[in-house]
Each structure stands twice: as C-alpha cells, then as structure tokens.
Amino acid sequence: MRNRSKVRVASAGRPRLSIYRSSKYIYAQIIDDAAGTTVAQIGSKAVKVGTKTESAAAVGKAVAEAAIAAGVKQVVFDRGQYRYHGRVKALADAAREAGLDF
C-alpha cells in the first residue's frame, strides 16, 4: 500500500510502468490510468535470452522501445511488491538506457 500511494502521488498524469515477476518469467506493461488502457506490454517468454536477469533486461529494453513507438517517453515506475533488486533493477536500468524517463 505504501508503494501504491507513492506511485499515485508521483504519477501526475504520466503512465506507469508496472512489473510482475513470477519465479520463472518477468512481465512489464505501461498503463495509462487516465484512459484505462495498456499502451505497451511484453513478457520474458517472448524475448527469452540467457539467464533470468538477462531476460529481464531484454524485456526492459523491448517495453521501452514499444512505449517510445507509441509516443510515451515519461513514466512512473511501479515495482509493486518487489524490491528494487536483481531482475527488477535490471529491467528498470535497461528501460532507462533505451530512452524511458522515470
């Protein structure tokens, strides 16, 4: 709940980059809460590369490229219940390097 309230306050009309991490895969989607639509989404099943951390980085890069193609450059990072560590950090860093601003 604490993380969700911080995301709501920080959003200020920007879409959010939401993460879901299972034991095997990681998924990312960019959600426009104002319109109630998903702008872009991708999972590690589609971009399976090497280790789980490498797959997470590939997902971050792919979701950033899809978002930029859809006209979204600034997002709010919603890590959910997951700590900013390991696969979540790799995804976020790759998305930043690919051009997303958060």
Side-chain angles (χ1 to χ4, degrees):
M1 293 302 290
R2 190 169 47 198
N3 184 36
R4 294 284 182 197
S5 65
K6 287 180 184 177
V7 167
R8 264 190 236 115
V9 168
S11 68
R14 295 192 295 179
R16 64 187 162 100
L17 172 59
S18 179
I19 304 294
Y20 174 73
R21 188 193 70 175
S22 71
S23 61
K24 215 172 186 183
Y25 302 108
I26 192 162
Y27 304 91
Q29 61 181 348
I30 297 184
I31 304 165
D32 185 4
D33 289 320
T37 59
T38 299
V39 177
Q41 61 86 26
I42 192 136
S44 60
K45 284 183 180 181
V47 290
K48 195 128 180 156
V49 180
T51 64
K52 291 180 187 178
T53 305
E54 291 168 353
S55 292
V59 167
K61 183 178 178 188
V63 77
E65 290 170 353
I68 290 171
V72 175
K73 284 195 171 258
Q74 290 187 333
V75 296
V76 175
F77 187 63
D78 180 10
R79 62 181 173 79
Q81 64 185 359
Y82 311 109
R83 293 188 308 164
Y84 188 79
H85 178 75
R87 292 189 282 159
V88 174
K89 184 179 186 302
L91 190 146
D93 290 343
R96 280 192 191 103
E97 288 175 10
L100 277 184
D101 180 30
F102 57 93

